[in-house]
Amino acid sequence: MDERYAVILAAGQGTRMRSKQPKVLHTVCGKPMVTHVVEQVQSAGFAQTAVVIGHGGEEVQESLGIDVDFVWQQERLGTGHAVKQTEALLANKKGVTLVISADTPMISAATMQALSDHHEVSGAKATVLTARVEDPTGLGRVIRDSRTSDVEKIVEHKDASAKERGISEINTATYCFDNEALFSALQEVKNDNAQQEYYLPDVIEILKERGEKISAWETHDASEALGVNDRVALASAEQAMQKRINDYWMKQGVTMIDPDHTYVAADAEVGADTTLYPGTMIRGQTVVGEGCEIGPHSDITDSTIGDGSAIHHSVVSASKVGNQVQIGPFAHIRPETTVSAEAKVGNFVEVKKSEIGKGSKANHLSYIGDAWIGENVNLGCGAITVNYDGEDKHLTTIEDGAFIGCNANLIAPVKVGAEAFVAAGSTITEDVPKESLSIARSRQTNKNDYFKEK
């Protein structure tokens, strides 16, 4: 097998996106388009990857942060000009070069490998990745030789005859080239066109004029042909990628009640026998264990969820949830929180930067912020850790087996000892010894016949 190289074109501004952000950094299923492409290229085992950057190049470099060669295209003068910028890296090497755009996030590593394999076996100097689509309007048609099935020519829609427009096989703008032939032909590409740019497809014509063989390999997943040039196409790519992701997880044993309304990010993982209800969003690098129930309408980001846990109508962000935990409905687990096994965080409870021990529960209407809570602690309805003094946050510690009554305010820094009780309605400003009862509230006074006297 020849050595294989990849050139990823990521220099364009993407004016049709109407965005200040570089086009290739717009996300599909939680990951920038260029990252999708780079990861698939690297998964396919290419020996060297060059990413051509231009508009917003520093942002692209920062976003990728992985081992690729960055090449600048200071002036955006077309795709041929972009590839030519990699000349110093690749021009003198023998092998196969894949050229792919960073705005085609759906192309898989398997397709890249199959395209490269076909290219080598065919003996062609260039191979075009094609796809058959239901509506090829506006796309370049691939015209094949009727005898050899090699590429006879590629015709743009506006230049195609009525017969040619009836062809559904289109050019995806992804190519494999003999590396030496590619850079030789790039020397002959001219910019005598309306945009005064150097176009990569002209290399195909130059090689044809030299009498070289041009092959084609068709992907049978038409969604891989999706190129993103505007927000409409971005939404189409999102839908296609989400279907691919959801299909994968369902085949791994995950139940999705309504896959069309269930979102799982590209880097997330979901265990077998977990059920995802409609409206669920699993974002970032979340890992959901086995046998869980998530949703409906739960939003989990960059978190770990243990086996057998249930999260209903709730938000969990950058936190750890143990096994057999119940959260919700309508709970908010904010970053840097750990909810240990068999704990319960009920409706309208907010937890922030806290640790809740095994078997502890806050069933409703509580705020737990900057707290360490031991095992088998009960926080009554409306219990609050008062963590902020206007300038700094302070720690509340509640040891194992403590019972915090309803509407208790724990003014941090404060410690409630093991097996201690805090009476309902108390405002606690001092530590509570273990196994004691603390009452900190005004004594009730009843004024008899008050209404009559008034």
Side-chain angles (χ1 to χ4, degrees):
M1 185 177 76
D2 291 338
E3 200 72 89
R4 294 179 179 179
Y5 315 100
V7 175
I8 301 173
L9 306 181
Q13 183 174 356
T15 55
R16 281 180 281 176
M17 297 295 288
R18 299 187 180 276
S19 174
K20 295 178 181 178
Q21 185 180 47
K23 178 175 73 169
V24 299
L25 293 185
H26 284 267
T27 61
V28 173
C29 292
K31 183 183 293 184
M33 291 190 286
V34 65
T35 305
H36 279 288
V37 175
V38 169
E39 288 182 353
Q40 292 302 308
V41 164
Q42 294 190 330
S43 178
F46 286 81
Q48 188 172 9
T49 302
V51 180
V52 182
I53 54 177
H55 176 75
E58 294 87 354
E59 294 176 65
V60 176
Q61 283 179 302
E62 184 179 352
S63 175
L64 283 173
I66 51 183
D67 186 22
V68 297
D69 293 307
F70 291 101
V71 178
W72 282 89
Q73 185 187 23
Q74 299 293 354
E75 292 184 274
R76 262 71 75 200
L77 299 177
T79 51
H81 179 263
V83 175
K84 196 172 182 181
Q85 305 314 297
T86 67
E87 197 167 22
L89 279 178
L90 301 176
N92 296 320
K93 296 182 177 181
K94 294 182 179 294
V96 174
T97 296
L98 171 79
V99 180
I100 185 170
S101 174
D103 62 7
T104 55
M106 291 297 299
I107 298 181
S108 66
T111 291
M112 296 175 189
Q113 289 174 324
L115 174 66
S116 302
D117 290 345
H118 174 85
H119 174 80
E120 289 186 357
V121 170
S122 70
K125 292 298 183 182
T127 301
V128 183
L129 178 65
T130 71
R132 295 185 190 274
V133 296
E134 291 185 7
D135 181 10
T137 303
L139 301 173
R141 308 305 203 278
V142 175
I143 314 301
R144 293 185 184 246
D145 185 288
S146 59
R147 293 177 298 103
T148 64
S149 289
D150 291 339
V151 176
E152 184 178 296
K153 59 181 178 177
I154 299 172
V155 183
E156 294 304 318
H157 179 86
K158 64 180 184 301
D159 300 322
S161 66
K163 182 179 179 181
E164 290 168 339
R165 289 186 179 185
I167 294 171
S168 62
E169 187 176 18
I170 57 98
N171 174 19
T172 68
T174 296
Y175 310 91
C176 267
F177 294 98
D178 173 274
N179 190 65
E180 292 173 298
L182 168 63
F183 285 98
S184 171
L186 281 171
Q187 307 304 318
E188 299 179 27
V189 174
K190 302 289 191 291
N191 67 339
D192 50 355
N193 52 66
Q195 301 298 322
Q196 293 188 309
E197 292 184 351
Y198 301 88
Y199 295 133
L200 183 62
D202 289 354
V203 168
I204 302 293
E205 293 302 316
I206 291 168
L207 293 176
K208 283 286 291 182
E209 289 171 3
R210 293 180 180 178
E212 303 289 2
K213 178 178 180 176
I214 309 298
S215 184
W217 187 84
E218 178 187 344
T219 172
H220 295 289
D221 181 358
S223 69
E224 293 197 318
L226 274 170
V228 176
N229 291 312
D230 57 26
R231 308 279 182 150
V232 175
L234 183 66
S236 296
E238 180 84 20
Q239 290 175 333
M241 182 69 76
Q242 194 61 76
K243 185 178 187 309
R244 178 187 289 179
I245 292 170
N246 288 0
D247 287 352
Y248 171 81
W249 288 116
M250 286 189 286
K251 290 175 182 177
Q252 304 308 306
V254 176
T255 295
M256 296 187 184
I257 303 301
D258 185 356
D260 290 340
H261 296 91
T262 302
Y263 176 95
V264 180
D267 288 334
E269 299 179 22
V270 186
D273 292 320
T274 285
T275 299
L276 303 182
Y277 289 89
T280 292
M281 303 191 76
I282 310 295
R283 305 175 191 258
Q285 296 183 330
T286 293
V287 177
V288 178
E290 297 183 352
C292 296
E293 288 189 4
I294 312 294
H297 303 292
S298 288
D299 190 339
I300 304 175
T301 303
D302 292 327
S303 296
T304 301
I305 312 299
D307 296 342
S309 291
I311 302 174
H312 300 306
H313 293 281
S314 296
V315 176
V316 180
S317 302
S319 294
K320 297 178 181 179
V321 176
N323 298 337
Q324 304 295 326
V325 170
Q326 296 183 57
I327 294 177
F330 312 115
H332 187 185
I333 311 300
R334 291 168 56 189
E336 298 183 61
T337 291
T338 298
V339 183
S340 300
E342 300 172 28
K344 183 175 181 181
V345 179
N347 51 292
F348 303 105
V349 175
E350 181 178 358
V351 186
K352 169 255 178 187
K353 200 177 181 181
S354 297
E355 183 173 339
I356 299 177
K358 181 179 180 180
S360 292
K361 56 186 178 181
N363 280 325
H364 30 226
L365 299 164
S366 292
Y367 172 70
I368 304 167
D370 297 279
W372 183 91
I373 298 172
E375 296 184 1
N376 299 311
V377 170
N378 179 85
L379 282 88
C381 178
I384 294 173
T385 63
V386 185
N387 58 330
Y388 184 49
D389 65 7
E391 292 184 0
D392 298 306
K393 302 290 178 69
H394 300 280
L395 178 68
T396 296
T397 300
I398 306 174
E399 295 185 338
D400 296 353
F403 186 99
I404 311 300
C406 294
N407 291 320
N409 298 307
L410 307 181
I411 311 298
V414 71
K415 176 181 177 181
V416 179
E419 307 295 338
F421 288 78
V422 173
S426 294
T427 296
I428 303 301
T429 59
E430 298 178 2
D431 290 353
V432 180
K434 68 178 183 178
E435 300 178 352
S436 62
L437 168 63
S438 182
I439 306 171
R441 62 191 183 201
S442 298
R443 184 177 297 276
Q444 181 174 333
T445 302
N446 294 334
K447 295 185 178 294
N448 296 327
D449 297 321
Y450 176 76
F451 179 78
K452 293 179 181 178
E453 291 174 5
K454 184 178 179 181

